[in-house]
């Protein structure tokens, strides 16, 4: 496309569209499979995460660091090398377990990572129940009464553990939004937030033993 652009004298490709599904087998949906599902989101960004599937043991490509997918940074690098200015779109992705609480947590984590690492667009495969775990993951970011900001904000944890936790922040018209993910539903965690502006915040939550319990309140 880059080469042909010189002939056509106009840009020929606006978006590179890919599909991405986790390759590890989590079909058993037992405790080990659920923990693996929650870890798998690291393949979107983490160069130290060796994929826990055939990718990590028998990679089918010759790209640098082939056992670590590092999906978004990898494709952004390839775009920069081959056709700068092309946007990146994932038109199919899935939690691998739409009706399980871990599927909702995976989706929350993925949506946050899409924003953090600058993905230009994504669409979910199939139409999940709006009141199920995946539907509620979207509700956290864009449900009635809230809007997750268009500009990502850098946030960090003092003791980060991407296997079990995540935090994402963004701004929109001077409004700060935070999404906090506890990917270990059996263990409560606490966060010390610094430099958060004082004022009235709209709080929403889903999870709990029922897996889909939700509430929202102004604080």
């Amino acid at each position: 496309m880059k080469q042909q652009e010189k002939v056509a004298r106009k840009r020929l490709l606006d978006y590179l569209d890919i599909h991405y599904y986790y390759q590890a087998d989590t079909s058993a949906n037992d405790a080990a499979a659920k923990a693996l599902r929650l870890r798998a989101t690291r393949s979107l960004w983490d160069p130290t995460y060796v994929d826990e599937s055939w990718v990590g043991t028998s990679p089918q490509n010759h790209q640098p660091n082939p056992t670590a997918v590092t999906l978004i940074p990898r494709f952004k690098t390839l775009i920069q090398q081959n056709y700068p200015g092309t946007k990146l779109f994932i038109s199919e992705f899935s939690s691998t377990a739409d009706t399980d609480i871990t599927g909702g947590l995976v989706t929350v984590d993925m949506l946050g990572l899409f924003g953090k690492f600058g993905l230009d667009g994504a669409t979910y495969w199939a139409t999940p129940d709006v009141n199920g775990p995946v539907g509620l993951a979207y509700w956290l970011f864009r449900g009635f009464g809230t809007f997750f900001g268009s500009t990502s904000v850098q946030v960090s944890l003092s003791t980060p553990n991407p296997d079990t936790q995540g935090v994402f922040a963004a701004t929109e018209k001077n409004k700060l939004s935070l999404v906090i993910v506890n990917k270990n539903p059996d263990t409560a965690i606490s966060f010390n937030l610094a430099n958060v502006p004082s004022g009235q915040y709209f709080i929403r939550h889903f999870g709990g033993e029922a897996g889909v319990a939700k509430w929202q309140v102004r604080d």
Side-chain angles (χ1 to χ4, degrees):
M1 289 293 186
K2 179 61 175 176
Q3 293 173 346
Q4 288 301 309
E5 181 182 285
K6 299 175 183 178
V7 177
R9 297 185 179 181
K10 63 179 180 180
R11 186 170 189 89
L12 299 177
L13 181 67
D14 295 317
Y15 282 85
L16 173 62
D17 176 11
I18 64 175
H19 299 173
Y20 187 62
Y21 294 97
Y22 300 115
Q23 296 301 296
D25 182 5
T26 60
S27 58
N29 208 37
D30 55 14
K34 292 181 179 184
L36 174 55
R37 181 180 297 129
L38 293 168
R39 293 194 300 271
T41 58
R42 291 174 61 184
S43 68
L44 294 171
W45 63 275
D46 189 351
T48 70
Y49 179 68
V50 175
D51 206 76
E52 297 173 77
S53 71
W54 60 265
V55 176
T57 57
S58 180
Q60 305 292 305
N61 69 78
H62 301 284
Q63 292 291 326
N65 197 12
T67 61
V69 177
T70 329
L71 188 79
I72 300 174
R74 181 185 295 274
F75 271 89
K76 282 185 168 288
T77 296
L78 290 170
I79 286 171
Q80 187 60 35
Q81 291 172 344
N82 293 283
Y83 202 176
T86 304
K87 294 183 178 181
L88 181 60
F89 190 89
I90 300 178
S91 65
E92 287 189 20
F93 76 96
S94 170
S95 74
T96 78
D98 288 4
T99 60
D100 191 90
I101 183 62
T102 57
L105 296 174
V106 164
T107 306
V108 172
D109 208 30
M110 291 184 74
L111 293 174
L113 291 167
F114 289 167
K116 181 176 181 178
F117 289 93
L119 189 69
D120 296 294
T123 51
Y124 198 81
W125 178 247
T127 304
D129 178 2
V130 296
N131 292 316
V134 173
L136 292 177
Y138 278 88
W139 171 75
L140 282 184
F141 285 94
R142 291 190 59 88
F144 179 77
T146 188
F147 183 85
F148 201 68
S150 60
T151 304
S152 291
V153 177
Q154 181 63 42
V155 293
S156 59
L157 301 172
S158 58
T159 56
N161 185 344
D163 288 345
T164 59
Q165 59 191 231
V167 58
F168 306 101
T171 59
E172 175 76 16
K173 297 180 180 179
N174 298 318
K175 174 185 175 182
L176 174 67
S177 299
L178 287 168
V179 170
I180 298 172
V181 192
N182 177 10
K183 295 194 288 182
N184 187 356
D186 296 328
T187 304
I189 57 176
S190 62
F191 291 89
N192 293 320
L193 301 177
N195 301 319
V196 176
S198 61
Q200 189 177 59
Y201 281 83
F202 184 69
I203 301 173
R204 51 180 33 175
H205 163 275
F206 85 90
E209 293 182 2
V212 294
K214 68 175 184 176
W215 55 262
Q216 59 186 32
V217 64
R218 290 195 178 276
D219 187 12

